[in-house]
């Protein structure tokens, strides 16, 4: 089992910044792909950014490239998502997930990942 706890969400005006944190624990062997995903009501959950814990390799959705940065602190077992130049369309529930780095760019299927409980991000215009 892997436990993930997100924090750092909130409300911000367009153009502002937020940093999300995801603290993880438990049996993380083979769960070496960490990702941030987001979902709005009525839409599918979508990948935002992911990082491979071993190599540090990152990958981003086109919609956030140049604005968001995913990073990790292995000593603290924490993954971060720095979000700058936020837009109203970034409003969503943001989830942290742990999956496999051998299963595509987004750490595998929904069912193959461990998920946190989510943290809400609201960007007003």
């Amino acid at each position: 089992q892997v436990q993930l706890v997100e924090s750092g969400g909130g409300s911000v005006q367009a153009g502002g910044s937020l940093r999300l944190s995801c603290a993880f624990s438990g049996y993380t062997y083979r769960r070496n792909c960490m990702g941030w995903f987001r979902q709005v009501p009525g839409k599918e959950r979508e990948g935002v950014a992911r990082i491979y814990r071993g190599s540090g390799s990152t990958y981003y959705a086109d919609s956030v490239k140049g604005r968001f940065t995913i990073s990790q602190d292995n000593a603290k077992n924490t993954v971060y998502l720095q979000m700058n130049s936020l837009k109203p369309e970034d409003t969503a529930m943001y989830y942290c997930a742990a999956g496999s780095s051998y299963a595509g760019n987004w750490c595998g299927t929904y069912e193959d990942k461990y998920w946190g409980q989510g943290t809400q991000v609201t960007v007003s215009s």
Side-chain angles (χ1 to χ4, degrees), residues 30-112:
R30 293 188 178 178
R31 300 293 177 177
N32 51 355
C33 178
M34 301 295 297
W36 285 99
F37 300 78
R38 65 188 182 187
Q39 188 171 23
V40 296
K43 291 190 176 181
E44 290 189 357
R45 194 168 296 189
E46 63 175 2
V48 175
R50 70 97 175 114
I51 187 167
Y52 292 155
R53 290 171 54 205
S55 66
S57 170
T58 59
Y59 184 80
Y60 297 91
D62 288 342
S63 58
V64 306
K65 281 181 182 177
R67 301 188 298 123
F68 290 12
T69 303
I70 189 170
S71 62
Q72 60 184 349
D73 185 333
N74 289 330
K76 295 182 178 180
N77 282 355
T78 300
V79 174
Y80 303 98
L81 184 68
Q82 178 67 44
M83 305 185 295
N84 298 328
S85 302
L86 282 161
K87 303 176 181 180
E89 51 263 44
D90 294 317
T91 295
M93 184 70 79
Y94 283 71
Y95 298 90
C96 178
S100 172
S101 62
Y102 300 104
N105 283 324
W106 296 116
C107 312
T109 65
Y110 178 92
E111 293 78 11
D112 288 339

Side-chain angles (χ1 to χ4, degrees), residues 6-12 18-21 83 94 118-122:
E6 302 99 333
S7 61
S11 297
V12 65
L18 284 173
R19 189 176 81 154
L20 306 183
S21 299
M83 305 185 295
Y94 283 71
T119 186
Q120 178 69 35
V121 171
T122 302

